[in-house]
Amino acid sequence: MMKKSISASKASLVLFLCQMISALDVPLDLSQPPTITQQSPKDYIVDPRENIVIQCEAKGKPPPSFSWTRNGTHFDIDKDAQVTMKPNSGTLVINIMNGGKAEAYEGVYQCTARNERGAAISNNIIIRPSRSPLWTKEKLEPNQVREGDSLVLHCRPPVGLPPPIIFWMDNAFQRLPQSERVSQGLNGDLYFSNVQPEDTREDYICYARFNHTQTIQQKQPISVKVFSMDSLNDTIAANLSDTDIYGAKPVTERQPILLTPTGSTSTKVELRGNVLFLECIAAGLPTPVIRWIKEGGELPANRTFFENFKKTLKIIDVSEADSGNYKCIARNILGSAHHVISVTVKAAPYWITAPRNLVLSPGEDGTLICRANGNPKPNISWLANGVPIAIAPEDPSRKVDGDTIIFSHVQERSSAVYQCNASNEYGYLLANAFVNVLAEPPRILTPANKLYQVIADSPALLDCAYFGSPKPEIEWFKGVKGSILRGDEYVFHDNGTLEIPVAQKDSTGTYTCVARNELGKIQNEVRLEVKDPTMIIKQPEYKVIQRYGQVSFECIIKHDFTLLPTVIWLKDNDELPDDERFLVGKDNLTIMNVTDKDDGTYTCIVNTTLDSVSASAVLTVVARPNPPFDLELTGQLERSIELSWIPGDENNSPITNFVIEYEDGLHEPGVWHYQTEVPGTQTTVQLKLSPYVNYSFRVIAVNEIGRSQPSEPSEQYLTKSANPDENPSNVQGIGSEPDNLVITWESLKGFQSNGPGLQYKVSWRQKDVDDEWTSVIVANVSKYIVSGTPTFVPYEIKVQALNDLGYAPEPSEVIGHSGEDLPMVAPGNVQVHVINSTLAKVHWDPVPLKTVRGHLQGYKVYYWKVQSLSRRSRRHVEKKILTFRGNKTFGMLPGLEPYSSYKLNVRVVNGKGEGPASPDKVFKTPEGVPSSPSFLKITNPTLDSLTLEWGSPTHPNGVLTSYILKFQPINNTHELGPLVEIRIPANESSLILKNLNYSTRYKFYFNAQTSVGSGSQITEEAVTIMDEAMASRQVDIATQGWFIGLMCAVALLILILLIVCFIRRNKGGKYPVKEKEDAHADPEIQPMKEDDGTFGEYSDAEDHKPLKKGSRTPSDRTVKKEDSDDSLVDYGEGVNGQFNEDGSFIGQYSGKKEKEPAEGNESSEAPSPVNAMNSFV
């Protein structure tokens, strides 16, 4: 939230409007009648031990002289050595401290201030010394009261001036506690609505404090002894007479009766503006409750307060409208009593219009008005210069008309001071107002060039305090040559002030005030500056923080650059705590290690000399709740109890629920168990109990922050013993041996036993056999073993709890089995179906259930590899096991090795173990694709050949038929050339690859094949070497001048051809070469695949570089290289290849290449001038 305080300009507005109410002040250098400026109060109570100072100050020109009357007669201060008057003042000082007595100066004093233009008088000042008399000696009898009766201890303080303040204390100066039952009345008496035994004491002391003299008077202690009925019966003979009113009746409840005020009605008179106190105190048992109403109306809102436990009704600032009947009602469960107080509000005189000073020029007219009201209506009387106007010197310009004096054509001799007196039986008002007749030209009292600064959009008040007689007219101008200011945007006050209700930035400037009357004219300039308002552009925001966290409030401001702001932080409208955890930054307030006491409202206040703004935010510190307390057990029954508690502080985070835990001190002391939980609005719960448990309870409060610490444990509650309510759970019968039955169960917990001597009755009989139950009673254990049973036979079993008081209800039966034995037979008719080289399916017939001799758990298939069919060497046999749950008759055998011989058998499994194995079944897996060759090495590089060596696959997975070698050149930009494929017999382990390009990198792809297909490949790269002579010749040619010239001529020729082609194309002519290309398209050019833009279908998985489409593999270890644009034939090194009838290639590793483009089909030769030259030959 954000609020803006009153700016300086608004405060000025209030000040100016107040000035407008008063009369025009006369400059002190001009003649004026006296004006009383300060005087003592009408009812002046003085301390008799100190000097008496009676104030009377006045102003006037010439300075007034002072005189005093006492009790209506002249008080000659020169004749009393104890009395002096202050210099240039009318204030009297009566010296009491040097021998004077205050009582001698009691009386009514009035001061007169007089000069040549009139006389002003003060109020009648009544001087009375304060009094603090002692209590009169009295003998106080002890108060002996029966329990439950009412009692009033009277204080009766001495009459003091002013009345003392009363309070009750004991001998240790400790205030006596008060409540609805015991309270102090307005008269100082102590009222007991009913007494209790704890009221017995001997030091009820009433004290009276007299503030004027700073003294406290003490009454003698009062003794009160309260008799209870039991003690009263024992002591009645010794302490009470036969006629004593107390008797020996028991304490009885009584309906209310009023102790004060007495009777059914009373009256009360209060003066307007005072505080009205009404009181009702009642006796009764139980203690009555007081309620107040106003008959025929409502109690005044915002002015009504209840005090003294609602026994006192307080109404502040009463008015005539508060008159009426007020009823107090005292009520308890037996009835009620009431009293009606008739209130009448009277009024001492109060002003409606007080007379104001008049400054008139000769010949002017004017009026003095004096209007007052009161109840009863006050009488108005006039005085002139302190003398009743009826006997004052006559003035022809003056006419009295009731509460008004009318002046016509005044002259200088008409100057005087007039007094208006309004009085009734409750008081009086006296006001001085002068008439000052002057002839004066205008004068401006506001300093010249005064600077006013205001905030934009707030009022601007420019002062032009003036004086003149006749009263001058005021005009305002803006600027040096501005026109007169008029219109709704300005307000012109009678005291000369110019108000701009909503000042804007363009209101800044110089303003001129002109005052003129018939005697002259004068002007004055003031300056106005309008500033930008101070704003908080980022206010602090509401924060919720956990205890011990850190929080920060922001307060970013924007202000006029000419104003210097100051930022103050408050907590709950008070200064920040003096704590180093509070860090005040330029734009923020940070609180470290937040604690509960930091909770509250934080306000950022920004002050400048002209305005003030503030913004507030609430900090809520949350934490886990405090633990509940005052746990109480009520309503104790055999199987239930009610638990109640008082919640701890929720620490600003509402409690969501309460968790109730219990401890069994009998069976598990120190261990707390969950009992139940209830919503956070609930503080009682009905708890179910078990017999024979020594319960203690505790409560944990939970909110969003977490769980509180547990409460203190409740008192213990031991429930009575009873038969067990339940039997053991999880009863099972499982044999551990073929000839036994092991019966197990989960024992009852301690509190489930319901009594001492917990035991179990274990019963069993064979199922489906007409046998009687066999039973045994065992101690508090959880297992019993029955021996000599048949193998794997079903049994009916039950376990019943019992204790010293009896049995639990009849338990339910469960089915168990005696012990298992190993299965007797193996599965038959085992069949294997080989699905592929790595997967087979096995089938078998189930064994008869009676031969299982236990719970059938499934079948296990044992299988192992005997040997690889491609390698006759045997190796270590590693058996594998697959388990198939339940009564399944088939299963899959994955992960087999291709081209291998396997054996398997099948066994049935029960809870005891495995049965005998079926006869071994042999099956073979077919061939598969081989693994990659174990290695590929490339050695002995020459100008045009490389030697390849390899190892056979680690897992041939069949009979190898051949090896496949593919290779292709790689140029300097890592693009691949045409792919060449060679098929190599399976019995080879090396190969010399000839007719390669020199100084060229090749990439090789190598894999093995079986009759099923090709296996995975391995890749390698190698480079042929460069001829040194050729390299030297390349360097020499490149440096020859003729070669350089030839290259330049070729480049120039190409440029000319391009220009000619461009010109002919633009003219629409046909380029003959293009025509031929269109007419004779090369049929061997292979289009790119539309789907992925590649040339081939085969790609190397490692290098992701596509191979040529349509590669063919010749036989007899010959290689058919595919053509490229720069083939060996083109260089003159190739020979025409020939084919045999079977299509095999004649000639080793040579032949004309077919022109079949491949991706990256650029030349793989090393770039050199020779190569470039060869391309042109």
Side-chain angles (χ1 to χ4, degrees), residues 566-580:
T566 58
V567 180
I568 301 173
W569 286 91
L570 302 179
K571 179 182 183 295
D572 297 329
N573 295 322
D574 204 350
E575 293 182 357
L576 290 178
D578 185 13
D579 192 329
E580 61 184 10

mmCIF file of all heavy atoms in Angstrom, residues 566-580:
data_model
loop_
_atom_site.group_PDB
_atom_site.id
_atom_site.type_symbol
_atom_site.label_atom_id
_atom_site.label_comp_id
_atom_site.label_asym_id
_atom_site.label_seq_id
_atom_site.Cartn_x
_atom_site.Cartn_y
_atom_site.Cartn_z
ATOM 1 N N THR A 566 15.356 12.196 1.473
ATOM 2 C CA THR A 566 15.865 11.335 2.541
ATOM 3 C C THR A 566 14.895 10.165 2.696
ATOM 4 O O THR A 566 13.675 10.351 2.671
ATOM 5 C CB THR A 566 15.988 12.086 3.873
ATOM 6 O OG1 THR A 566 14.704 12.606 4.250
ATOM 7 C CG2 THR A 566 16.972 13.226 3.753
ATOM 8 N N VAL A 567 15.436 8.973 2.829
ATOM 9 C CA VAL A 567 14.632 7.759 2.929
ATOM 10 C C VAL A 567 14.742 7.215 4.348
ATOM 11 O O VAL A 567 15.846 7.037 4.872
ATOM 12 C CB VAL A 567 15.084 6.697 1.903
ATOM 13 C CG1 VAL A 567 14.232 5.439 2.040
ATOM 14 C CG2 VAL A 567 14.982 7.257 0.488
ATOM 15 N N ILE A 568 13.599 6.977 4.937
ATOM 16 C CA ILE A 568 13.531 6.442 6.302
ATOM 17 C C ILE A 568 12.691 5.169 6.262
ATOM 18 O O ILE A 568 11.637 5.127 5.622
ATOM 19 C CB ILE A 568 12.901 7.466 7.271
ATOM 20 C CG1 ILE A 568 13.712 8.765 7.286
ATOM 21 C CG2 ILE A 568 12.792 6.887 8.676
ATOM 22 C CD1 ILE A 568 13.045 9.867 8.079
ATOM 23 N N TRP A 569 13.165 4.139 6.951
ATOM 24 C CA TRP A 569 12.406 2.887 7.075
ATOM 25 C C TRP A 569 11.846 2.784 8.489
ATOM 26 O O TRP A 569 12.543 3.063 9.464
ATOM 27 C CB TRP A 569 13.285 1.684 6.788
ATOM 28 C CG TRP A 569 13.602 1.497 5.337
ATOM 29 C CD1 TRP A 569 14.663 1.998 4.650
ATOM 30 C CD2 TRP A 569 12.842 0.759 4.386
ATOM 31 N NE1 TRP A 569 14.610 1.622 3.330
ATOM 32 C CE2 TRP A 569 13.505 0.847 3.141
ATOM 33 C CE3 TRP A 569 11.654 0.016 4.465
ATOM 34 C CZ2 TRP A 569 13.022 0.238 1.993
ATOM 35 C CZ3 TRP A 569 11.182 -0.591 3.320
ATOM 36 C CH2 TRP A 569 11.858 -0.481 2.097
ATOM 37 N N LEU A 570 10.592 2.414 8.585
ATOM 38 C CA LEU A 570 9.939 2.219 9.871
ATOM 39 C C LEU A 570 9.414 0.793 9.961
ATOM 40 O O LEU A 570 9.091 0.172 8.940
ATOM 41 C CB LEU A 570 8.771 3.194 10.055
ATOM 42 C CG LEU A 570 9.064 4.686 9.978
ATOM 43 C CD1 LEU A 570 7.776 5.478 10.154
ATOM 44 C CD2 LEU A 570 10.085 5.100 11.025
ATOM 45 N N LYS A 571 9.346 0.305 11.162
ATOM 46 C CA LYS A 571 8.696 -0.987 11.432
ATOM 47 C C LYS A 571 7.543 -0.725 12.376
ATOM 48 O O LYS A 571 7.723 -0.219 13.488
ATOM 49 C CB LYS A 571 9.668 -1.970 12.066
ATOM 50 C CG LYS A 571 9.029 -3.322 12.399
ATOM 51 C CD LYS A 571 10.018 -4.260 13.085
ATOM 52 C CE LYS A 571 9.398 -5.625 13.340
ATOM 53 N NZ LYS A 571 8.282 -5.555 14.300
ATOM 54 N N ASP A 572 6.344 -1.050 11.905
ATOM 55 C CA ASP A 572 5.135 -0.827 12.702
ATOM 56 C C ASP A 572 5.064 0.610 13.188
ATOM 57 O O ASP A 572 4.791 0.890 14.360
ATOM 58 C CB ASP A 572 5.064 -1.801 13.873
ATOM 59 C CG ASP A 572 4.974 -3.250 13.409
ATOM 60 O OD1 ASP A 572 4.399 -3.479 12.337
ATOM 61 O OD2 ASP A 572 5.497 -4.134 14.116
ATOM 62 N N ASN A 573 5.361 1.550 12.242
ATOM 63 C CA ASN A 573 5.296 2.996 12.494
ATOM 64 C C ASN A 573 6.251 3.445 13.592
ATOM 65 O O ASN A 573 6.026 4.477 14.234
ATOM 66 C CB ASN A 573 3.865 3.427 12.827
ATOM 67 C CG ASN A 573 2.926 3.243 11.662
ATOM 68 O OD1 ASN A 573 3.302 3.478 10.509
ATOM 69 N ND2 ASN A 573 1.715 2.809 11.924
ATOM 70 N N ASP A 574 7.299 2.699 13.789
ATOM 71 C CA ASP A 574 8.318 3.078 14.764
ATOM 72 C C ASP A 574 9.693 2.855 14.126
ATOM 73 O O ASP A 574 9.805 2.263 13.052
ATOM 74 C CB ASP A 574 8.178 2.238 16.036
ATOM 75 C CG ASP A 574 8.783 2.944 17.258
ATOM 76 O OD1 ASP A 574 9.457 3.981 17.069
ATOM 77 O OD2 ASP A 574 8.583 2.444 18.378
ATOM 78 N N GLU A 575 10.729 3.348 14.788
ATOM 79 C CA GLU A 575 12.064 3.194 14.235
ATOM 80 C C GLU A 575 12.438 1.717 14.119
ATOM 81 O O GLU A 575 11.938 0.872 14.862
ATOM 82 C CB GLU A 575 13.090 3.912 15.128
ATOM 83 C CG GLU A 575 12.955 5.419 15.143
ATOM 84 C CD GLU A 575 14.035 6.068 15.999
ATOM 85 O OE1 GLU A 575 14.825 5.317 16.602
ATOM 86 O OE2 GLU A 575 14.090 7.301 16.054
ATOM 87 N N LEU A 576 13.332 1.446 13.167
ATOM 88 C CA LEU A 576 13.824 0.080 13.029
ATOM 89 C C LEU A 576 14.577 -0.335 14.294
ATOM 90 O O LEU A 576 15.218 0.501 14.940
ATOM 91 C CB LEU A 576 14.766 -0.036 11.826
ATOM 92 C CG LEU A 576 14.154 0.085 10.435
ATOM 93 C CD1 LEU A 576 15.251 -0.010 9.374
ATOM 94 C CD2 LEU A 576 13.116 -0.991 10.201
ATOM 95 N N PRO A 577 14.504 -1.601 14.644
ATOM 96 C CA PRO A 577 15.277 -2.063 15.814
ATOM 97 C C PRO A 577 16.772 -1.814 15.618
ATOM 98 O O PRO A 577 17.287 -1.848 14.495
ATOM 99 C CB PRO A 577 14.973 -3.560 15.876
ATOM 100 C CG PRO A 577 13.709 -3.739 15.102
ATOM 101 C CD PRO A 577 13.716 -2.680 14.043
ATOM 102 N N ASP A 578 17.438 -1.516 16.714
ATOM 103 C CA ASP A 578 18.895 -1.319 16.669
ATOM 104 C C ASP A 578 19.551 -2.696 16.629
ATOM 105 O O ASP A 578 19.957 -3.238 17.647
ATOM 106 C CB ASP A 578 19.340 -0.524 17.894
ATOM 107 C CG ASP A 578 20.828 -0.186 17.837
ATOM 108 O OD1 ASP A 578 21.423 -0.357 16.746
ATOM 109 O OD2 ASP A 578 21.387 0.250 18.860
ATOM 110 N N ASP A 579 19.624 -3.236 15.419
ATOM 111 C CA ASP A 579 20.059 -4.623 15.247
ATOM 112 C C ASP A 579 20.870 -4.698 13.965
ATOM 113 O O ASP A 579 20.436 -4.214 12.909
ATOM 114 C CB ASP A 579 18.838 -5.545 15.163
ATOM 115 C CG ASP A 579 19.213 -7.023 15.278
ATOM 116 O OD1 ASP A 579 20.326 -7.386 14.849
ATOM 117 O OD2 ASP A 579 18.387 -7.800 15.787
ATOM 118 N N GLU A 580 22.060 -5.287 14.059
ATOM 119 C CA GLU A 580 22.932 -5.360 12.891
ATOM 120 C C GLU A 580 22.365 -6.255 11.798
ATOM 121 O O GLU A 580 22.868 -6.252 10.670
ATOM 122 C CB GLU A 580 24.314 -5.866 13.302
ATOM 123 C CG GLU A 580 24.300 -7.262 13.911
ATOM 124 C CD GLU A 580 25.670 -7.712 14.407
ATOM 125 O OE1 GLU A 580 26.589 -6.873 14.443
ATOM 126 O OE2 GLU A 580 25.795 -8.890 14.755
#
